[in-house]
C-alpha cells in the first residue's frame, strides 16, 4: 500500500488545485521516492522486478487468461494476476534486446527487438547495424508452459522492430493466421538492412498451426512522398512509424509515425491503405494512438524529448509533450484539444505522454495513461474539447537520481497495471462513480495496440 507523507486532506486539496489548472508549487512535488495518489486511487501492490532481469528496465504489458506478460530490455516476465491482491511472478525469460514490446495470442508471445544483435539468440550481444550479419526484428515464444517459455522462431525485419501490433485475420482466415504489423524507423546509408528511404512497415504472416513458418509477407510503403521531414521542432524526420493501433473489427488502424498521424484502412490485412494524414506544429514525435470505443475519436501522444526530458514542467507548457484528441469526421482527423497532466513535475523528472488504454465505461471515453516520472493519469475525454483528469498515481523524484517512471499503464479486469522502469509492477484500483461500471466488464486477452470493442461484456 502507498504511504504518502502528505495527509489525505492535503492530497485531496492538491488534486483539486491541479484540476483548476493552476501552476504547481514546489511543495506539491512529492519527496524523493514517495508514493502519492488521488483519493480515489488505491495502491494495491508492488512487485519488484525479478532478479534475472532486475538490472534492465520494464516496458510494455500484455494480458491473457489472468496472466500479465511484462516486457523488459532484458527479456520478459510472466505474472499470475488471477488474484491481483496476491499477484506473483511465475517466470522470467532472459533474452536481451530492447524494447521487448510484447503481445500475446493463444500460446504465442511476440517480442519486438530494436537493438542490433550479433545473432538472433537469447545469448546474443550488441553488434553494429553496419554489419550485414547483425540481426534485429521479432522473436516468437511458445508460452503454453508459463513456467518455462520456449523460444521457437525469429523473423528479421528492416530496421528491426521498435514496436509490434497483432492483427487477427478476417473471416475464415481468423482461425488460420495472425498478422504482425512491425513499426521501425531511423534508417542510415551504412546500415545494409535499414537503408533510406525506409518510410514503410513490415507485415509478418504467422500460420497459427505452424508458427515456426512465420515470415515477412510484405513491406507496404506508408509515405511514398517521404512524410513530414521539415517541420521545425521535430525530434527526427519521418522515416517510418513508431507505433500502430488497430481496431480490427472495424477494419481501421491509427499510426503514430514520427512526424505524422495516420489513419489506415486495413480491410485487406496485407495491404493497409492510408486514408487520412495530419501533422501538428506542437508535436515533436507522434508516439502512440488510442481509439475511443465507438471509433469516432482517436488520441495521439507526443513523446517530446524522446522520453528522456523533463517536459511536464511549467516552462514546457500545456500543449507540448501532450496528448492530442481528434474526432474522425467523414474519414478525416479533426483536432479538438490537447490534454496534459495538470501536476507539474520537477525539472529532474523525465515526463511525457506514453502508453495507456481505455477503461471500459459504457457511454464515456476514459483512459489510463503512463507519463514516465509523471506516474499514471486517469482522464476523461468524453467531451473532446474539454478533457479532464479524474485520478492519478505517481512517485516523487528518484533519490538515486536518473530517469525512470511508468512506461505503460493499462486497465484489465477491474485493476490498473503499471510497468515501472525500476520499481517493477504496480497494481492499482480506482474507485470512482465515473469508472465503477467498468468492473463488470471482463476480457480474456488484452493487447492494447489491438483494440476490441466492449459492449457490456468483452471478448
Amino acid at each position: 500500500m502507498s504511504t504518502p507523507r502528505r495527509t489525505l486532506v492535503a492530497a485531496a486539496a492538491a488534486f483539486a488545485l491541479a484540476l483548476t489548472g493552476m501552476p504547481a508549487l514546489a511543495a506539491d512535488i512529492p519527496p524523493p521516492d514517495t508514493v502519492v495518489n488521488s483519493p480515489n486511487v488505491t495502491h494495491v501492490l508492488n512487485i519488484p522486478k525479478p532478479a534475472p532481469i532486475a538490472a534492465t528496465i520494464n516496458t510494455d504489458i500484455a494480458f491473457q487468461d489472468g496472466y500479465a506478460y511484462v516486457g523488459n530490455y532484458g527479456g520478459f516476465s510472466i505474472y499470475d494476476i488471477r488474484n491481483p491482491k496476491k499477484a506473483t511472478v511465475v517466470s522470467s525469460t532472459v533474452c536481451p534486446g530492447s524494447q521487448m514490446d510484447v503481445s500475446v495470442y493463444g500460446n504465442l508471445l511476440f517480442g519486438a527487438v530494436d537493438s542490433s544483435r550479433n545473432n538472433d539468440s537469447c545469448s546474443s550481444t550488441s553488434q553494429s547495424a553496419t554489419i550485414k550479419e547483425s540481426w534485429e526484428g521479432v522473436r516468437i515464444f511458445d508460452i503454453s508452459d508459463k513456467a518455462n517459455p520456449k523460444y521457437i522462431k525469429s523473423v528479421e525485419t528492416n530496421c528491426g522492430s521498435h514496436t509490434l501490433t497483432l492483427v487477427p485475420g478476417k473471416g475464415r482466415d481468423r482461425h488460420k493466421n495472425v498478422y504482425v504489423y512491425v513499426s521501425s524507423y531511423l534508417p542510415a546509408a551504412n546500415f545494409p538492412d535499414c537503408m533510406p528511404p525506409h518510410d514503410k512497415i513490415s507485415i509478418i504472416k504467422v500460420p497459427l498451426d505452424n508458427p515456426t513458418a512465420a515470415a515477412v509477407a510484405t513491406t507496404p510503403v506508408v509515405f511514398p512522398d517521404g512524410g513530414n521531414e521539415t517541420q521545425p521542432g521535430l525530434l527526427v524526420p519521418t522515416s517510418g512509424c513508431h507505433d500502430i493501433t488497430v481496431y480490427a473489427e472495424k477494419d481501421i488502424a491509427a499510426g503514430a509515425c514520427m512526424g505524422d498521424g495516420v489513419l489506415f484502412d486495413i480491410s485487406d490485412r496485407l495491404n493497409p491503405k492510408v486514408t487520412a494524414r495530419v501533422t501538428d506544429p506542437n508535436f515533436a514525435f507522434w508516439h502512440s494512438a488510442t481509439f475511443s470505443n465507438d471509433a469516432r475519436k482517436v488520441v495521439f501522444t507526443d513523446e517530446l524529448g524522446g522520453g528522456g526530458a523533463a517536459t511536464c514542467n511549467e516552462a514546457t507548457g500545456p500543449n507540448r509533450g501532450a496528448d492530442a484528441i481528434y474526432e474522425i469526421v467523414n474519414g478525416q482527423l479533426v483536432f479538438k484539444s490537447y490534454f496534459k497532466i495538470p501536476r507539474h513535475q520537477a525539472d529532474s523528472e523525465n515526463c511525457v505522454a506514453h502508453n495507456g488504454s481505455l477503461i471500459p465505461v459504457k457511454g464515456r471515453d476514459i483512459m489510463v495513461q503512463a507519463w514516465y516520472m509523471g506516474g499514471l493519469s486517469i482522464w476523461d475525454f468524453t467531451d473532446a474539447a474539454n478533457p479532464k483528469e479524474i485520478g492519478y498515481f505517481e512517485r516523487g523524484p528518484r533519490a538515486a537520481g536518473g530517469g525512470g517512471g511508468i512506461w505503460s499503464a493499462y486497465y484489465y479486469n477491474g485493476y490498473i497495471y503499471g510497468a515501472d522502469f525500476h520499481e517493477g509492477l504496480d497494481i492499482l484500483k480506482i474507485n470512482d462513480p465515473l469508472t465503477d461500471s467498468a468492473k463488470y466488464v471482463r476480457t480474456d486477452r488484452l493487447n492494447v495496440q489491438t483494440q476490441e470493442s466492449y459492449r457490456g461484456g468483452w471478448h
Side-chain angles (χ1 to χ4, degrees):
M1 299 290 288
S2 60
T3 54
R5 296 181 189 177
R6 304 182 202 175
T7 65
L8 183 62
V9 173
F15 182 53
L17 180 66
L19 289 180
T20 69
M22 294 176 63
L25 303 174
D28 293 324
I29 296 173
D33 296 335
T34 301
V35 169
V36 295
N37 46 262
S38 56
N40 58 354
V41 172
T42 302
H43 192 195
V44 175
L45 189 66
N46 171 266
I47 305 175
K49 289 184 294 182
I53 54 175
T56 43
I57 67 172
N58 280 339
T59 58
D60 205 17
I61 316 174
F63 304 88
Q64 188 170 249
D65 297 333
Y67 291 85
Y69 300 81
V70 180
N72 180 288
Y73 272 41
F76 66 93
S77 296
I78 303 176
Y79 296 77
D80 183 341
I81 57 169
R82 288 174 293 182
N83 182 349
K85 295 179 181 179
K86 297 180 179 181
T88 58
V89 178
V90 178
S91 64
S92 288
T93 298
V94 177
C95 198
S98 66
Q99 301 190 127
M100 203 55 187
D101 185 35
V102 292
S103 287
V104 294
Y105 198 91
N107 288 328
L108 302 176
L109 179 143
F110 300 83
V113 179
D114 190 29
S115 65
S116 187
R117 317 294 295 175
N118 67 329
N119 59 56
D120 64 352
S121 75
C122 286
S123 59
S124 65
T125 58
S126 296
Q127 179 171 283
S128 173
T130 61
I131 300 171
K132 173 64 178 173
E133 291 73 25
S134 295
W135 180 90
E136 52 188 326
V138 174
R139 291 175 174 145
I140 305 175
F141 296 82
D142 182 330
I143 52 172
S144 53
D145 181 354
K146 295 176 180 59
N148 296 286
K150 295 181 180 179
Y151 180 22
I152 61 171
K153 175 69 174 179
S154 71
V155 181
E156 187 171 13
T157 56
N158 294 138
C159 300
S161 176
H162 195 73
T163 62
L164 55 79
T165 304
L166 294 191
V167 190
K170 294 182 62 177
R172 294 179 180 177
D173 188 47
R174 185 179 182 91
H175 303 291
K176 295 180 179 180
N177 299 293
V178 67
Y179 301 88
V180 184
Y181 287 7
V182 174
S183 296
S184 58
Y185 55 94
L186 289 183
N190 61 339
F191 292 173
D193 298 319
C194 181
M195 298 182 69
H198 184 58
D199 294 324
K200 60 187 176 184
I201 64 173
S202 297
I203 301 179
I204 299 171
K205 183 178 181 179
V206 184
L208 293 173
D209 63 352
N210 184 20
T212 57
V216 174
T218 184
T219 55
V221 175
V222 180
F223 301 103
D225 66 349
N228 183 9
E229 298 179 339
T230 60
Q231 176 184 307
L234 289 180
L235 182 67
V236 286
T238 296
S239 61
C241 291
H242 177 274
D243 206 353
I244 296 172
T245 294
V246 301
Y247 206 147
E249 68 195 73
K250 298 181 184 293
D251 286 334
I252 58 174
C257 300
M258 306 178 70
D260 298 79
V262 174
L263 289 181
F264 297 94
D265 176 342
I266 60 166
S267 52
D268 180 348
R269 299 294 194 249
L270 289 173
N271 190 27
K273 298 286 189 182
V274 175
T275 59
R277 185 172 142 197
V278 68
T279 61
D280 185 324
N282 282 317
F283 263 43
F285 190 82
W286 296 69
H287 178 275
S288 53
T290 303
F291 287 102
S292 60
N293 186 53
D294 62 10
R296 295 179 180 177
K297 302 170 190 167
V298 61
V299 175
F300 287 101
T301 67
D302 175 24
E303 194 180 45
L304 177 68
T311 67
C312 297
N313 51 14
E314 186 174 6
T316 304
N319 296 338
R320 299 176 64 242
D323 298 319
I325 305 163
Y326 286 82
E327 290 185 348
I328 302 174
V329 181
N330 296 323
Q332 299 303 302
L333 292 164
V334 178
F335 174 79
K336 301 302 292 184
S337 68
Y338 296 110
F339 171 78
K340 193 171 183 180
I341 55 173
R343 302 170 314 286
H344 288 151
Q345 304 297 301
D347 290 341
S348 63
E349 295 180 280
N350 60 303
C351 175
V352 75
H354 221 246
N355 292 11
S357 76
L358 293 182
I359 297 178
V361 179
K362 186 178 180 180
R364 301 199 71 85
D365 299 317
I366 298 176
M367 69 181 291
V368 58
Q369 184 178 5
W371 288 78
Y372 279 4
M373 292 191 75
L376 64 81
S377 174
I378 302 152
W379 61 289
D380 187 331
F381 63 102
T382 307
D383 180 351
N386 295 285
K388 295 180 179 180
E389 182 175 77
I390 62 173
Y392 70 88
F393 167 89
E394 68 166 300
R395 292 180 171 89
R398 295 188 72 221
I406 297 177
W407 178 291
S408 50
Y410 301 143
Y411 184 95
Y412 177 74
N413 291 352
Y415 290 81
I416 292 169
Y417 297 83
D420 190 286
F421 279 46
H422 304 292
E423 302 302 325
L425 182 67
D426 285 308
I427 303 177
L428 304 106
K429 194 170 184 64
I430 180 169
N431 295 288
D432 191 283
L434 286 175
T435 61
D436 283 348
S437 64
K439 64 187 177 183
Y440 300 109
V441 180
R442 289 291 183 269
T443 185
D444 296 328
R445 178 170 54 242
L446 178 65
N447 296 306
V448 169
Q449 288 74 35
T450 307
Q451 276 193 238
E452 297 183 68
S453 63
Y454 49 86
R455 296 181 291 272
W458 211 345
H459 298 296

